Amino acid sequence: MPGRRPAPRRDLVGCPAVTSFDDVLAANAEHARTYTDTGMAGRAARGLGLVMCMDSRISPLDMLGLQPGDAKILRNAGARVTGDVLRTLVLATHLLGVERVLVVAHTDCRMTKATDEQVHATIAESAGLDTRSLEFRTIPDQRATLEHDVQRIRSSPYLPAGLPVAGCVYDVRSGRLDVLVPEA
């Protein structure tokens, strides 16, 4: 049955009251059992910052031939360049070795299939919640939105002048990237 969680595990050390996360905590316990610290620095080894959607079908490291530690990866609904993304990019460029930024939207994105008003209505109907104080930043035109978000990065006074920034759309069916906003 889809979405069904495994039975709770009571043998997880240090987590006797947890049940909803037992599966991932058990996997972490197994990971930690054989884990070896690589001593890797917290900097982006390949100087890359990625702004991507949170869609779980997308594996950014695999998609771009990267290894852990190569890039700083920022994910949110729709790969939108929000104030928090800009704040994080300022830290990443000035403190963590990011020298270029790629904004990656994707095909079949839920954020392109409704307006903010429709999302608010759906949540109100399904959960009885008034979410109108939230801005979901849905995407009526993916190309125009990508161009706008890339420009937000390029024009930030807090980011290095001339920072290379480009925008792509990842095709979730073919695995290909299509550059819609080339580096300026």
Side-chain angles (χ1 to χ4, degrees):
M1 172 181 232
R4 188 158 189 239
R5 289 191 302 264
R9 292 199 37 194
R10 302 289 177 209
D11 61 334
L12 296 176
V13 177
C15 301
V18 175
T19 58
S20 295
F21 303 99
D22 284 353
D23 58 331
V24 293
L25 292 173
N28 175 257
E30 181 60 25
H31 166 75
R33 192 176 66 72
T34 60
Y35 180 77
T36 303
D37 180 6
T38 63
M40 186 182 314
R43 298 178 60 78
R46 296 202 27 202
L48 181 62
L50 293 171
V51 178
M52 303 186 63
C53 186
M54 65 182 184
D55 192 306
S56 57
R57 295 174 290 182
I58 303 167
S59 176
L61 299 181
D62 294 338
M63 175 182 78
L64 298 170
L66 301 173
Q67 298 298 313
D70 281 349
K72 295 300 178 192
I73 304 169
L74 295 71
R75 297 183 82 160
N76 65 28
R80 298 304 313 273
V81 177
T82 62
D84 194 55
V85 166
L86 286 172
R87 175 190 70 86
T88 304
L89 287 174
V90 168
L91 295 168
T93 57
H94 293 289
L95 303 176
L96 300 173
V98 168
E99 300 168 340
R100 56 195 173 139
V101 177
L102 189 62
V103 181
V104 183
H106 68 91
T107 60
D108 195 34
C109 182
R110 179 68 172 93
M111 296 299 288
T112 66
K113 297 177 181 193
T115 64
D116 271 31
E117 293 75 24
Q118 290 168 327
V119 173
H120 291 302
T122 299
I123 293 171
E125 184 179 308
S126 67
L129 297 172
D130 182 352
T131 58
R132 290 176 295 169
S133 65
L134 299 174
E135 184 180 2
F136 292 115
R137 297 180 182 258
T138 54
I139 303 168
D141 179 333
Q142 195 169 48
R143 178 183 287 271
T145 299
L146 189 58
E147 289 170 352
H148 174 267
D149 284 351
V150 166
Q151 186 55 38
R152 281 196 81 194
I153 296 170
R154 288 177 178 164
S155 63
S156 173
Y158 304 109
L159 293 170
L163 177 72
V165 184
C168 300
V169 172
Y170 176 74
D171 187 318
V172 297
R173 302 291 173 235
S174 71
R176 291 201 169 283
L177 277 177
D178 183 19
V179 178
L180 296 186
V181 185
E183 178 182 344

